[in-house]
Amino acid sequence: MILSHVTSPDLIVLDSPWQNRTEILEQLSQRLFNLGKISDKDRFLQAVWQRESLSETGFEQGIAIPHGKSDTVIHPAFAVARLTRPVEDWPTMDGEDKVDLVFLLAVPEQDDAGHLRLLSALSTALMNEENVLALKQAQSTAEFLSLLDSAETTQSHSLVNDTGKSIIVITSCSAGIAHTYMAAEALEKAGAACGVTVYSEKQGASGIEDAVNETQIRQAEGVIFAASLPPKGKARFNGKPFVATSVSEPLKNAEGLIERLLHHPDGIVTAASETDERPEGQKQGFLSQLYMGVSSGISYMIPVIVAGGLMIGIGQLAASIFGVTDIGNATFATHTNTLLVICHFLTLYGNMIMKFMYPVFAAYMAYSIADRPGLVPGFIGGAFAAGLHYTFWAVSGGIPSGFLGALILGMLAGIIANYLNRHIRLHKHLQAMKPMLIVPGLTVLILFFINFYFVDPVFGSLNQFFQQFIINHGNGSALTLAAIIASLTAFDLGGPVNKSAGAIAIGLAADHIFPLTARTLGIVIPPIGIGLATVIDKYIVRQRVFDANQRITGTTSLILGFLAIGEGAIPFMLKNPVITISINILGAVLGAIIAISLGSVQWFPLPAIWGWPLVEHLPAYLAGMFSGVIFIALANVLVRYQLIKRGKIIIH
């Protein structure tokens, strides 16, 4: 397939009078919509503007290549605008900010057919100044298309004064569409001009392309990491000089980067250090690094939540068919009904999987900060947060630190491991001891004392405070007590505070002092509400306020919510704890008060959907649940919408 096959004459506008970036993107998007390339112009435009906010899409020679990756794209395509006069509101890498040739790329969210690579070929085709000049002078649409095809098929880089040297280039950008390939192309061209062979590996949106092999690595003088994201497989280049820079830098000074690598590299990639080797001036800010760590940890944690929740759901649902509502009870381990025994152990299996939620989260959070040296310490920190040490140490009544502990210990594991890895210097014959013994050993030792003297005591005291708070207010009014139980249940979605509230609430119900209505609603309202928010956002504010990964997580949270598993919403809480916890508490309290005020009563600890028939005055219960869910969904959408408008949140 050639470039003209992913556009059409109707998508090419020569000598357009449009005067600003907004008008250009609007008009080109409309043409893509009119030709059936995208299903929703507004949502596609949102994706384009979100990409514009990440970094400039204007390049040298007055070219701009804006692009949107969205599930609204039906067929991959691009539209072109050649302007009668340059627009000056489009930032470009050369600082001229005068764009007169615009290519708007529309890329599907799931690009399994390889169209993304084809569209990226457009980016590299435009690196040739002669091609660009010819396109700007084309007399007709047909000539324009013909020039595009010829430009795409004639890219070559013949070495001038071959020096016999070669280098490796690793490129990646946050979107993985244009900059990834343009940076590689710029370095290949500069290498050819310098007589240096450049082997470029593109780590773009469609995965790793043109992966370098062992022979190329062995023969290379060094490696350039032109990347906005952490390079994958960095350990392959152990012992090689390196230069680390942004993905946009090669478009400005590719030849200078090659000279820098050959004569003044930033350092040597070492076996003991797979961390981000950028010079001090190019390192990410601490908050950005922490945010990336949280996002990385969440992405690896979600499958654990889904797997555990699914096992629990299957076990409990199957047991409910036999009228069993407490399948987790140990008596079912030796029951005469084999199916109930299987359901019992499936439920326990799911609970066991859930125990690894925080170790996986903290491990990959630390990994994002410190790379491989942080992985094991992060996992151990997460094990502390999950309370696994109490199990192994046979400590009864131990209180896990939960998601806040996982955040703190995962972050500290990464920071400590990274610091030790960078500052411990050993003789070359002892280097192997650092990643295998010294860094993990010292890091986990430090984590032991931090957890022993700070994390466990602080969160244990906090949990005991909440327990006592419930007891002290146990004789208050029904609505006050309901509000307390609902708020603490919703506070940490299955964490230690939630479990403390549950222990007190179940005890009160067992003595027939106070029903479990507020407790059961506090479990299901937050995950269902957050999940619903990711579905309805586009209908409420006419745009997406959750990114693609969050929408997938939201669907999981929604489904698990009906199974009374609140952990599906934890990823949202980890990313925005203050906002999420506050809204969850308010929604749970609202739902509980409405349900109880209307006369609903639930004495059984069965918050999942199959427990609803046991609720007294079910319509009142559902009215309260619906009110709390709607409140959480709308509040999440509207708050995030305002933060996006103010630039506090960027949707990728």
Side-chain angles (χ1 to χ4, degrees):
M1 188 185 298
I2 55 180
L3 288 175
S4 61
H5 290 176
V6 285
T7 188
S8 75
D10 292 332
L11 290 175
I12 297 176
V13 184
L14 301 182
D15 303 321
S16 163
W18 302 327
Q19 298 179 359
N20 56 67
R21 178 163 50 157
T22 300
E23 185 179 12
I24 295 167
L25 294 177
E26 174 79 25
Q27 292 290 345
L28 292 181
S29 297
Q30 185 65 52
R31 281 164 169 73
L32 289 166
F33 177 75
N34 292 343
L35 287 183
K37 304 297 184 182
I38 59 176
S39 61
D40 188 323
K41 187 190 77 172
D42 293 337
R43 287 174 55 203
F44 174 70
L45 265 175
Q46 179 195 354
V48 173
W49 281 109
Q50 287 165 358
R51 175 61 191 88
E52 290 291 297
S53 68
L54 295 177
S55 63
E56 64 270 29
T57 56
F59 303 97
E60 296 179 353
Q61 306 177 75
I63 299 172
I65 311 179
H67 41 280
K69 189 176 184 183
S70 169
D71 57 7
T72 67
V73 179
I74 302 171
H75 303 292
F78 63 88
V80 183
R82 193 177 70 186
L83 309 174
T84 54
R85 54 181 300 180
V87 296
E88 299 183 359
D89 66 339
W90 208 311
T92 58
M93 291 185 175
D94 59 5
E96 294 294 330
D97 295 352
K98 292 182 178 181
V99 169
D100 58 2
L101 185 58
V102 179
F103 293 80
L104 175 60
L105 280 60
V107 181
E109 189 73 47
Q110 300 297 329
D111 185 54
D112 298 327
H115 295 106
L116 179 59
R117 186 64 182 92
L118 177 62
L119 293 176
S120 299
L122 170 66
S123 304
T124 57
L126 296 174
M127 294 295 295
N128 189 303
E129 295 183 11
E130 294 180 0
N131 294 338
V132 173
L133 181 61
L135 289 171
K136 289 185 177 183
Q137 296 176 348
Q139 299 300 308
S140 66
T141 300
E143 183 183 353
F144 192 94
L145 287 171
S146 177
L147 288 168
L148 271 181
D149 289 339
S150 63
E152 198 275 328
T153 57
T154 58
Q155 295 296 305
S156 63
H157 306 293
S158 300
L159 294 182
V160 177
N161 299 322
D162 188 354
T163 62
K165 296 180 179 180
S166 66
I167 65 170
I168 303 291
V169 169
I170 307 296
T171 62
S172 73
C173 68
S174 52
I177 295 176
H179 289 67
T180 298
Y181 300 96
M182 296 187 75
E185 176 75 8
L187 286 164
E188 288 171 6
K189 288 178 61 178
C194 298
V196 175
T197 300
V198 175
Y199 300 110
S200 59
E201 177 177 296
K202 278 73 71 174
Q203 299 182 357
S206 56
I208 295 179
E209 301 177 43
D210 304 325
V212 293
N213 57 45
E214 292 183 6
T215 301
Q216 292 168 338
I217 295 173
R218 185 173 59 255
Q219 295 175 349
E221 301 293 322
V223 56
I224 295 176
F225 299 108
S228 298
L229 300 175
K232 299 180 179 70
K234 198 169 181 180
R236 294 173 291 168
F237 309 107
N238 290 335
K240 291 292 182 183
F242 74 89
V243 164
T245 187
S246 68
V247 72
S248 60
E249 187 62 26
L251 304 179
K252 306 172 187 176
N253 186 24
E255 190 169 336
L257 288 175
I258 295 175
E259 288 295 317
R260 180 170 138 199
L261 175 66
L262 296 176
H263 303 293
H264 305 286
D266 296 345
I268 303 294
V269 181
T270 65
S273 177
E274 292 185 24
T275 54
D276 182 5
E277 303 279 4
R278 295 186 180 191
E280 290 297 323
Q282 295 174 353
K283 289 181 182 176
Q284 290 178 308
F286 175 74
L287 292 179
S288 298
Q289 190 180 40
L290 183 60
Y291 181 82
M292 182 179 290
V294 172
S295 300
S296 178
I298 288 172
S299 67
Y300 286 100
M301 179 182 71
I302 290 172
V304 180
I305 296 174
V306 173
L310 185 60
M311 296 303 100
I312 295 171
I314 292 174
Q316 292 184 350
L317 181 60
S320 69
I321 297 174
F322 296 93
V324 176
T325 57
D326 60 340
I327 191 63
N329 193 300
T331 58
F332 288 101
T334 56
H335 200 276
T336 55
N337 187 329
T338 304
L339 288 176
L340 287 178
V341 173
I342 292 174
C343 290
H344 170 73
F345 282 105
L346 264 179
T347 303
L348 296 186
Y349 180 44
N351 288 327
M352 182 192 76
I353 293 172
M354 285 292 192
K355 285 289 187 180
F356 291 95
M357 171 177 62
Y358 290 131
V360 169
F361 166 77
Y364 281 98
M365 182 179 181
Y367 176 78
S368 178
I369 296 172
D371 218 296
R372 209 163 66 181
L375 191 62
V376 170
F379 187 89
I380 293 171
F384 278 139
L388 293 178
H389 56 307
Y390 294 129
T391 301
F392 295 129
W393 298 346
V395 176
S396 59
I399 305 170
S401 53
F403 82 94
L404 289 176
L407 268 175
I408 294 169
L409 293 170
M411 175 186 67
L412 291 176
I415 292 173
I416 294 168
N418 189 43
Y419 179 85
L420 294 175
N421 198 40
R422 288 179 178 276
H423 290 83
I424 292 177
R425 296 286 183 265
L426 297 175
H427 187 275
K428 64 180 180 179
H429 296 306
L430 301 176
Q431 278 290 338
M433 294 177 60
K434 190 161 71 167
M436 299 296 292
L437 173 64
I438 297 175
V439 172
L442 287 176
T443 305
V444 298
L445 178 63
I446 293 169
L447 285 181
F448 169 81
F449 287 107
I450 292 173
N451 186 72
F452 193 82
Y453 286 107
F454 173 69
V455 176
D456 273 352
V458 167
F459 291 103
S461 299
L462 180 66
N463 195 51
Q464 290 176 347
F465 167 78
F466 284 127
Q467 286 182 346
Q468 194 61 44
F469 185 78
I470 295 173
I471 294 171
N472 293 340
H473 292 77
N475 296 323
S477 70
L479 292 181
T480 300
L481 184 56
I484 293 171
I485 291 174
S487 61
L488 296 180
T489 298
F491 177 77
D492 57 355
L493 301 173
V497 175
N498 174 295
K499 286 180 170 57
S500 290
I504 300 298
I506 290 173
L508 294 173
D511 295 333
H512 222 72
I513 297 173
F514 193 77
L516 287 165
T517 316
R519 167 69 179 172
T520 56
L521 286 169
I523 291 173
V524 300
I525 286 175
I528 296 176
I530 290 176
L532 181 63
T534 65
V535 175
I536 67 171
D537 56 350
K538 61 181 179 180
Y539 304 108
I540 303 302
V541 294
R542 305 184 76 120
Q543 71 175 65
R544 288 290 192 185
V545 300
F546 297 94
D547 62 31
N549 290 331
Q550 289 173 320
R551 294 199 294 274
I552 294 172
T553 306
T555 302
T556 301
S557 177
L558 184 64
I559 295 171
L560 293 181
F562 283 101
L563 302 180
I565 299 170
E567 283 85 351
I570 285 178
F572 296 91
M573 189 164 62
L574 288 168
K575 273 201 169 184
N576 304 102
V578 175
I579 295 172
T580 305
I581 292 173
S582 302
I583 293 175
N584 283 351
I585 290 174
L586 291 174
V589 170
L590 175 66
I593 288 177
I594 290 175
I596 293 171
S597 298
L598 293 176
S600 177
V601 177
Q602 167 66 302
W603 288 102
F604 303 97
L606 299 172
I609 190 170
W610 49 82
W612 295 358
L614 300 176
V615 176
E616 298 175 24
H617 201 355
L618 181 59
Y621 184 89
L622 295 178
M625 188 185 80
F626 180 78
S627 300
V629 165
I630 292 298
F631 172 83
I632 289 177
L634 292 178
N636 272 284
V637 171
L638 295 175
V639 169
R640 288 183 64 85
Y641 177 67
Q642 290 300 320
L643 292 175
I644 289 171
K645 286 179 62 178
R646 296 175 185 176
K648 303 294 185 182
I649 295 178
I650 295 176
I651 305 298
H652 299 281

